[in-house]
Amino acid sequence: MKYDIIFIHAPSIFDFREKPILSGPISDVVPSTTMFEMYPVGFVTLSDYLEKKGFRTRIANIAIRMLTQPKFNVERFIQSLDANIFGFDLHWLMHAQGSVELAKLVKKHHPNTPIIFGGLSSTYFHEELIRYPQVDMVMKGDSTEEPMRILLDILKKGGGGDLSQVPNLTWKDRAGVIHSQPITYVPERLTDSHINYARVIKSAIRNRDIRSYLPFKDFLRYPIVALLTCRGCSNNCSICGGSRFAYTKFYNRPNIAMMDPERLAFDIADAASYFAGPVVLVGDLQAGGLEYVDRFLDTLSRYKFKNMVVFEFWDLPPKEFYEKVSKSLSNWSFEISCESQDPIIRRKFGKANYTNEELKQAINDGLNAGAKRADVYLFMGIPFQTRESILEIPEFAEYLYDSLDVEANRLVFLAAPLAPYVDPGSLAFERPSHYGYRIVRRTLAEHIEGMVAPSWKYGLNYESDYIDRDSFVKATYECALRLNEIKRAKGAISKSNAEHVERNIIEAVYIMDKIDEIYNSRLSPQEKEVKYFELKNEMASHSMSTVCEKRELEWSVPALRKFKIRGLIKAMLLK
């Protein structure tokens, strides 16, 4: 079957099955593995929009095929594909090496078929990315549904149409000359960006390739789904490439664009008709204002479903917000990323300005209003943070566990290192000295090189004036070990889980020391590679559930009804 476009998602590192790399705890607090096999929701919104416009699309999650099928032959699969254009995501920089290498393989077997990249990182690095021989186009911006429709329409007609008609596009012509259109398509309302899971299910069945549509490795066991509430951001977190500063300067979006509240409520109920897992709202509803929140919750209350709905908060919500949610939903939780236990660092970080007492009160209000649990996130390695500050994180967790009058398992405390990157486009990347950073990897090529370093320590793209690299890595593991002990003592995690994490941390530190010994030795590069390969299995097995047990992230899912058969049949019959 020939497609108008095939969206391809690559693993973080294309040859991860062969390379010895200690990825470290870079994915412990997200559902995916260190290969970040979860493709962006933009694949789903693009596919839905283009299919409605009459184009045939397909999603090929190569990362998950490689993870779940050890004998999966990537080259043979690539050879079997047929499309008018191949689309690669490079939204966050984690996929720089994998996507560029996989695109090279696609170009090898389909030399006359154009390859296009998209996403925030593609946009930031579009001038460098377009110079790779395997890259023909880069679609810039955060909302590309309509520009992609225009492009596919030109390609379908054939005859080398005028690509200057396509907004947001950077491309090479047949002579190799580079052209670039400005980012002019920036919709203020997200009317074209729907996450239609029915269409995803139907497409997977139509293509007889359900595995390539799975969003992450454990999805069949734990079917969690995510829905975007907005594009853009109202905050200026200093290390984030999706901050208000980055969106304004590099993606031409000065204002946040919210999803239609009624449509968002429908999409939640629709997703709940197929899957029994949690529905996570990515982005803070409060960014839309009080009227937006009221419209959303009023609409949501009309639907009947039992799924957990998880709210993300950029800032602390008032007590009234929780009360409104509780009237609309019986099964909900929330996440707050406070970044640091130090209010001064938190304020300098740029996200929010509140005291620890106010944070405690907000968590308490939410849990007392009926939230099933609260997830609190902190990070190690953020601006102005010292070794002493990192090691104070466990005591802050202990303070919250002791001062909140709730069951310990209703408070999930997660701390992760800022690794491997300070995001390109962020304030800290563009103005590092202001935040006490030195950026040691600037170009796309340098970041690709960092991805294949022997351990996550050597892949970091930054150094801090407040803590050296070795101390940062050691403090990360030391903090995780102490936090793990506190969670076990408070009954937040089981004894067996705590023991598992403790073993992983101790063994990861041991392997890190062995890697350092090889890295700093006088061996030749070839001899070092041989030594790294001797540690390959240990490296792979100690890059998951290191700073915490990954299943700590999971909200409860009914064991016998993860997938709803009636909803799946409806999706199969969808026209």
Side-chain angles (χ1 to χ4, degrees):
M1 184 182 296
K2 184 164 186 173
Y3 299 87
D4 292 293
I5 184 168
I6 297 177
F7 298 104
I8 296 178
H9 182 66
S12 294
I13 300 167
F14 175 59
D15 41 0
F16 72 92
R17 294 189 290 192
E18 289 80 39
K19 280 189 177 296
I21 296 172
L22 180 68
S23 299
I26 61 174
S27 70
D28 278 2
V29 296
V30 294
S32 60
T33 70
T34 56
M35 289 304 107
F36 289 86
E37 72 276 11
M38 183 180 286
Y39 53 81
V41 292
F43 272 15
V44 181
T45 62
L46 281 164
S47 180
D48 179 60
Y49 184 78
L50 295 173
E51 291 265 350
K52 284 190 292 189
K53 297 297 181 180
F55 297 101
R56 178 158 286 183
T57 70
R58 178 176 180 177
I59 293 173
N61 189 345
I62 302 298
I64 204 165
R65 298 291 296 271
M66 295 176 72
L67 275 167
T68 58
Q69 297 173 282
K71 295 183 180 180
F72 175 67
N73 190 312
V74 181
E75 190 155 7
R76 187 182 303 157
F77 180 81
I78 292 298
Q79 283 180 288
S80 72
L81 300 178
D82 191 8
N84 290 330
I85 188 169
F86 293 101
F88 281 81
D89 66 289
L90 184 51
H91 188 61
W92 299 119
L93 202 53
M94 290 303 304
H95 297 98
Q97 195 270 359
S99 60
V100 167
E101 288 300 310
L102 187 54
K104 190 185 299 182
L105 184 63
V106 172
K107 183 59 73 175
K108 171 186 172 183
H109 292 288
H110 304 276
N112 299 318
T113 304
I115 291 175
I116 187 168
F117 272 64
L120 295 188
S121 294
S122 292
T123 302
Y124 184 88
F125 287 111
H126 76 104
E127 292 178 338
E128 183 179 353
L129 188 58
I130 195 65
R131 287 178 167 80
Y132 281 83
Q134 64 268 43
V135 181
D136 303 289
M137 306 174 189
V138 179
M139 184 63 77
K140 305 186 294 289
D142 68 357
S143 300
T144 61
E145 287 82 7
E146 178 59 12
M148 284 300 298
R149 181 202 65 79
I150 298 171
L151 175 61
L152 292 191
D153 194 46
I154 291 173
L155 295 177
K156 199 164 189 176
K157 291 176 182 176
D162 183 7
L163 294 182
S164 65
Q165 300 175 39
V166 184
N168 300 23
L169 187 68
T170 294
W171 76 98
K172 287 183 292 212
D173 63 25
R174 292 179 178 176
V177 178
I178 296 171
H179 307 265
S180 185
Q181 292 287 84
I183 303 174
T184 55
Y185 184 80
V186 188
E188 295 181 3
R189 297 184 61 216
L190 300 182
T191 55
D192 299 334
S193 304
H194 300 311
I195 299 180
N196 187 339
Y197 283 105
R199 197 177 298 279
V200 173
I201 296 165
K202 182 187 177 183
S203 297
I205 295 169
R206 177 191 68 192
N207 298 329
R208 300 178 183 179
D209 188 13
I210 293 175
R211 195 183 296 269
S212 287
Y213 280 79
L214 296 178
F216 61 96
K217 184 173 179 283
D218 285 340
F219 181 79
L220 294 177
R221 179 187 62 80
Y222 179 63
I224 183 174
V225 295
L227 294 174
L228 288 176
T229 64
C230 60
R231 284 179 178 161
C233 190
S234 57
N235 287 355
N236 257 336
C237 299
S238 56
I239 53 92
C240 182
S243 64
R244 185 174 74 246
F245 167 82
Y247 267 104
T248 302
K249 183 173 178 62
F250 299 107
Y251 315 125
N252 197 27
R253 179 176 290 287
N255 300 306
I256 195 168
M258 302 296 297
M259 287 289 295
D260 177 82
E262 288 79 16
R263 175 69 198 206
L264 179 60
F266 170 82
D267 286 346
I268 292 172
D270 190 50
S273 70
Y274 311 119
F275 314 110
V279 180
V280 179
L281 300 181
V282 181
D284 193 338
L285 290 172
Q286 298 176 99
L290 292 176
E291 181 185 353
Y292 178 92
V293 171
D294 288 341
R295 286 173 58 190
F296 167 76
L297 291 175
D298 286 346
T299 306
L300 192 63
S301 66
R302 300 171 197 161
Y303 296 105
K304 304 300 179 185
F305 57 87
K306 297 180 180 180
N307 300 58
M308 169 84 70
V309 176
V310 182
F311 296 85
E312 177 188 4
F313 297 136
W314 294 339
D315 205 345
L316 302 182
K319 189 176 182 179
E320 294 74 24
F321 181 95
Y322 296 125
E323 292 170 348
K324 290 179 181 179
V325 172
S326 192
K327 289 178 182 178
S328 300
L329 288 168
S330 60
N331 191 11
W332 59 281
S333 293
F334 62 92
E335 301 175 330
I336 295 176
S337 185
C338 63
E339 321 307 340
S340 171
Q341 80 289 348
D342 186 333
I344 296 174
I345 292 178
R346 190 184 303 145
R347 183 174 64 251
K348 290 181 177 180
F349 181 85
K351 187 170 188 177
N353 183 17
Y354 49 77
T355 67
N356 287 339
E357 281 298 309
E358 289 170 328
L359 172 63
K360 182 184 74 173
Q361 187 62 51
I363 295 170
N364 198 56
D365 287 344
L367 292 173
N368 287 336
K372 295 294 188 288
R373 76 180 219 193
D375 291 15
V376 180
Y377 289 83
L378 292 95
F379 290 92
M380 299 89 106
I382 61 177
F384 313 107
Q385 195 178 53
T386 63
R387 179 180 184 277
E388 290 71 27
S389 179
I390 290 174
L391 297 180
E392 289 170 0
I393 290 174
E395 280 61 46
F396 178 63
E398 189 171 33
Y399 154 75
L400 283 181
Y401 281 123
D402 289 342
S403 58
L404 291 172
D405 187 24
V406 296
E407 302 90 338
N409 60 5
R410 293 180 65 198
L411 178 61
V412 178
F413 213 94
L414 300 161
L418 174 59
Y421 305 136
V422 169
D423 286 346
S426 68
L427 280 160
F429 190 87
E430 303 303 319
R431 307 168 186 173
S433 60
H434 181 76
Y435 294 93
Y437 281 146
R438 297 180 302 282
I439 300 299
V440 297
R441 299 186 191 277
R442 282 242 162 236
T443 66
L444 180 63
E446 288 169 344
H447 283 91
I448 289 173
E449 179 185 49
M451 283 303 301
V452 294
S455 81
W456 65 282
K457 178 201 293 189
Y458 301 111
L460 296 175
N461 75 342
Y462 68 96
E463 294 176 347
S464 170
D465 292 339
Y466 294 86
I467 183 170
D468 65 76
R469 186 176 296 211
D470 287 335
S471 297
F472 164 57
V473 172
K474 290 177 181 177
T476 293
Y477 288 123
E478 190 175 339
C479 172
L481 198 60
R482 175 62 181 142
L483 181 58
N484 183 63
E485 292 172 0
I486 288 171
K487 290 194 283 190
R488 179 196 57 76
K490 300 301 179 183
I493 59 175
S494 68
K495 181 181 177 181
S496 60
N497 279 354
E499 290 173 348
H500 173 70
V501 171
E502 182 178 341
R503 284 195 303 272
N504 267 2
I505 293 172
I506 293 171
E507 291 171 13
V509 171
Y510 171 77
I511 294 166
M512 180 72 79
D513 288 342
K514 296 293 287 184
I515 293 171
D516 288 348
E517 184 180 322
I518 299 167
Y519 189 89
N520 296 314
S521 71
R522 295 183 178 181
L523 296 172
S524 69
Q526 295 78 13
E527 290 171 324
K528 287 181 180 181
E529 195 70 13
V530 170
K531 292 291 185 181
Y532 292 141
F533 264 98
E534 292 174 359
L535 296 172
K536 182 178 182 296
N537 291 336
E538 289 86 347
M539 288 182 182
S541 62
H542 291 92
S543 290
M544 292 278 287
S545 294
T546 306
V547 295
C548 66
E549 168 55 53
K550 203 172 186 68
R551 291 201 182 189
E552 288 181 45
L553 279 65
E554 298 180 2
W555 297 272
S556 61
V557 179
L560 300 179
R561 48 183 291 274
K562 293 179 181 178
F563 301 94
K564 301 181 179 180
I565 302 302
R566 184 177 299 175
L568 295 176
I569 293 173
K570 183 178 75 172
M572 291 170 62
L573 299 176
L574 178 73
K575 295 182 180 180

